Amino acid sequence: DTEVTQTPKHLVMGMTNKKSLKCEQHMGHRAMYWYKQKAKKPPELMFVYSYEKLSINESVPSRFSPECPNSSLLNLHLHALQPEDSALYLCASSQDSERGGLETQYFGPGTRLLVL
Amino acid sequence: GEDVEQSLFLSVREGDSSVINCTYTDSSSTYLYWYKQEPGAGLQLLTYIFSNMDMKQDQRLTVLLNKKDKHLSLRIADTQTGDSAIYFCAESRIATDKLIFGTGTRLQVFP
C-alpha cells in the first residue's frame, strides 16, 4: 500500500478565514512534505518534516503554518491567505529523507485551494 | 543552474511508442524519477532509476539514463489514451533532501 490521503479535496476560503489541510499516511514513512503546484507548473517544495521535526522551510510566508502531530499526520494551517495562494497543495511522504533509495516520495491526490 | 528541462508537449497516435526526454544538471544525483499527473490529480510515481544504471524496464515503460550527457528518457510502448497526462522527471540530489522537478511534458494520445 503506497497511499497518501489528503482532505479536503477542494477548499474555498476568504482572505480572513482560517482553515487547515490534512494529510495522512500509514506506510510507516518518517518524512513528510508539503508542495504547492500552480497550473501547468511543476510542484514547488514548501516544507519537509523528518522524524516529526521541521527540517526544511523553503522561505514560505508565515500565513502557512505546518504541523506534524505524529509520524502519520501532517497538517498545513492557513490564515490570511492571498488570492495568489490559490493552487493545488500536494502532500508527499517517504520512508526517510536521507539518501540510499529511502527518499522515494509518494504523493497524495492534493487539495485544490481557491482563495477569494 | 538548477533547471531540469523537458519538452513541453508530445502528441502520439494510439498504439505507437512515446518517448519523453529530460535533461538534468547535477551529476551527483542519486535517483531519477518519472511521475505521471492526470488532470486535477496528484502525482503518481511511475518508475525510478538509480544513477549507476543505464536502463530499467517495467512492463510498457523503459527508462534510459545517459549519465555522461545528463539525459533521461521514458519510453512508453503501445501508448494508450489513458496515458494522456503530464509527465514530470525529477532528480534527487545528494547534497539536499529535495526532489527537483522538471518542467513537465504534456502527452496527448489521439486515436
Side-chain angles (χ1 to χ4, degrees), chain A residues 3-95:
Chain A
E3 190 178 29
V4 177
T5 59
Q6 290 187 243
T7 54
K9 288 191 72 169
H10 303 274
L11 180 62
V12 180
M13 60 186 291
M15 289 189 283
T16 58
N17 292 158
K18 284 185 181 181
K19 296 286 184 184
S20 297
L21 309 185
K22 295 187 184 306
C23 174
E24 193 165 359
Q25 57 87 14
H26 294 289
M27 296 179 276
H29 288 179
R30 303 313 300 266
M32 296 185 78
Y33 310 77
W34 279 116
Y35 288 84
K36 173 183 177 180
Q37 186 181 25
K38 300 286 270 185
K40 299 188 169 115
K41 296 289 186 184
E44 299 171 17
L45 183 66
M46 299 173 72
F47 302 104
V48 180
Y49 272 83
S50 180
Y51 291 83
E52 299 163 46
K53 289 189 179 356
L54 184 65
S55 62
I56 293 178
N57 176 342
E58 290 287 284
S59 303
V60 179
S62 60
R63 57 186 185 269
F64 295 92
S65 174
E67 179 198 18
C68 189
N70 61 57
S71 59
S72 300
L73 292 174
L74 184 67
N75 299 321
L76 186 62
H77 302 298
L78 315 173
H79 174 53
L81 294 196
Q82 303 297 309
E84 60 265 29
D85 297 321
S86 298
L88 181 67
Y89 287 83
L90 294 163
C91 173
S93 71
S94 64
Q95 195 168 341

